[in-house]
Amino acid sequence: MSTEVLDERSRHVALVRAQAALIADSSRAVRRLVLSPGAKLSPSPRKRRHARRRPAPAAPPVARRHTSWRRRAVAAAALTVQVGLLALALTLPGFQVRQVTVVGTRLLTTGAVVAAAEVPQQSIFTINGAAIQGRVQALPWVASAVVTTQLPATVEISVVERTPMLRIRRDGTDTLVANDGATLPGIDATPAARSGIPVLIDDRAGSPQPINPLLVELLSSISQRFQAVFGCSVAAFLWGSDDVVSLWTSTGWRAVFGHLDTQDALQGLPAQIEALAALKRQLNFVKPNFGYVDLEAPSAPVSGGQPGLPAEVTAALLPVAPAVQPAPADSSVAPPTAPPTPRPTPTPSPTPSTTPSSGITLITPPPSTPKPSP
């Protein structure tokens, strides 16, 4: 058994720890607020964040019942007024559709658009604009349409039409053709729409045959550029009973292209126009002394005859009478029909002759047998 002897420093540390333990374990006196007599207390500027709000005093039961009854009465009165106004709007004659206006038409007549729209005779507030728009856009010559309503009783239809490329005349009636192949009877087109469009007189035998869209595009392009190149405009294109296609000019001569019923023949049409343009130094296209230029062989064109437009081409250039407006759907009287346009008898060609001129072979075609007038 050994006894450890503490040095002076160790005894001092043990004494300090013992005193600290006594201080920590001793009980503390509770702090109390002591006010001197006559002292006044002042409120603190700091607000309590978690203070509970006092509920608002409840309204007396009688006042609450009166407020609820008034609100219900006002709501019922407002609903009754709204229902009455709606009933008046749907039944008053002043809001029934009375007028249909069409804007943007240049090809189609107003009657044709109104007939296709089938606007019902009902309140302006119940008009189905989407249904009317769909019926109008079903027309082949309408690219887009917008239907709007105007108080008190007007429906407005705004249309955007397609562009016509060619006017085909057959048996005295006209048909407009677009670049996408859409057709429009001439009776449904306005007179302004039928003017200024190149015309193709279709004299082919048999029932009407479709026109190749490439031919429509080529004839339209030739008609647009012909004036700038040759100094005269295109009067009409003629597709004869012999299936030969020719171009008649405003100065009375024609360019014969030949048969254009095959794809290869259509591909050679631009070369024929270039061969015709090469003759500008040898032939006077504005004041011609010839009646035709045969381009069936572009490398060896021939010309001859006397200038002058046939009666058939002249009739195709005359102004067309206005189209007859169709009667309303509910009308009991049938609309009058326009009488057919008389078809003139073609003028026979002069007798054959051969005359050389400036290195170009000049010949006159044999006379053609005139067609009987319908």
Side-chain angles (χ1 to χ4, degrees), residues 42-374:
S42 58
S44 173
R46 184 173 64 86
K47 297 181 179 180
R48 300 181 64 182
R49 297 181 179 179
H50 302 289
R52 294 182 179 180
R53 297 181 180 179
R54 295 181 180 180
V62 177
R64 186 181 305 171
R65 286 197 298 269
H66 284 301
T67 303
S68 177
W69 179 83
R70 289 176 183 175
R71 290 179 179 176
R72 293 178 182 177
V74 171
L79 180 60
T80 303
V81 171
Q82 293 176 0
V83 173
L85 293 177
L86 180 60
L88 289 176
L90 297 178
T91 57
L92 281 179
F95 294 109
Q96 301 296 316
V97 175
R98 297 192 305 269
Q99 183 179 6
V100 178
T101 60
V102 179
V103 297
T105 54
R106 189 177 62 88
L107 303 173
L108 299 172
T109 60
T110 301
V113 177
V114 173
E118 299 179 359
V119 180
Q121 300 295 325
Q122 61 186 33
S123 175
I124 193 70
F125 300 103
T126 59
I127 289 295
N128 189 349
I132 298 175
Q133 178 183 357
R135 290 192 290 268
V136 173
Q137 290 185 164
L139 293 173
W141 282 84
V142 175
S144 62
V146 177
V147 179
T148 57
T149 56
Q150 299 177 359
L151 292 177
T154 301
V155 176
E156 182 178 291
I157 305 175
S158 177
V159 299
V160 177
E161 299 172 323
R162 304 185 190 277
T163 303
M165 303 287 290
L166 192 66
R167 176 165 60 97
I168 300 176
R169 167 159 290 195
R170 182 180 177 87
D171 297 332
T173 59
D174 293 340
T175 302
L176 301 183
V177 182
N179 55 355
D180 61 346
T183 59
L184 174 69
I187 194 65
D188 293 336
T190 60
R194 285 171 284 184
S195 61
I197 304 174
V199 57
L200 171 63
I201 304 172
D202 189 1
D203 285 344
R204 290 177 294 174
S207 59
Q209 304 174 25
I211 306 295
N212 193 324
L214 179 58
L215 178 60
V216 173
E217 184 177 355
L218 289 175
L219 296 184
S220 177
S221 178
I222 292 173
S223 179
Q224 293 175 3
R225 303 176 184 178
F226 202 84
Q227 176 76 33
V229 176
F230 299 97
C232 55
S233 60
V234 175
F237 296 96
L238 177 62
W239 200 329
S241 58
D242 54 356
D243 288 339
V244 174
V245 180
S246 57
L247 179 155
W248 282 96
T249 66
S250 58
T251 54
W253 60 274
R254 67 169 177 164
V256 181
F257 300 128
H259 297 272
L260 297 179
D261 50 0
T262 63
Q263 196 72 14
D264 294 338
L266 291 178
Q267 296 294 338
L269 185 57
Q272 292 176 316
I273 296 297
E274 292 179 0
L276 181 63
L279 301 177
K280 289 193 297 183
R281 296 182 180 180
Q282 304 176 24
L283 298 177
N284 190 342
F285 296 128
V286 179
K287 297 180 180 180
N289 57 359
F290 57 94
Y292 72 92
V293 178
D294 193 343
L295 301 170
E296 294 187 70
S299 59
V302 294
S303 63
Q306 297 297 325
L309 291 176
E312 187 176 15
V313 176
T314 304
L317 302 179
L318 294 177
V320 184
V324 179
Q325 297 288 344
D330 57 352
S331 175
S332 59
V333 181
T337 57
T341 305
R343 186 176 180 181
T345 304
T347 304
S349 302
T351 56
S353 62
T354 305
T355 304
S357 173
S358 304
I360 303 175
T361 306
L362 303 178
I363 63 174
T364 304
S368 58
T369 304
K371 296 182 183 178
S373 178

Side-chain angles (χ1 to χ4, degrees), residues 24-44:
D25 295 338
S26 63
S27 60
R28 298 180 180 180
V30 180
R31 298 179 61 184
R32 295 182 179 181
L33 180 63
V34 179
L35 298 176
S36 59
K40 295 183 179 181
L41 298 177
S42 58
S44 173

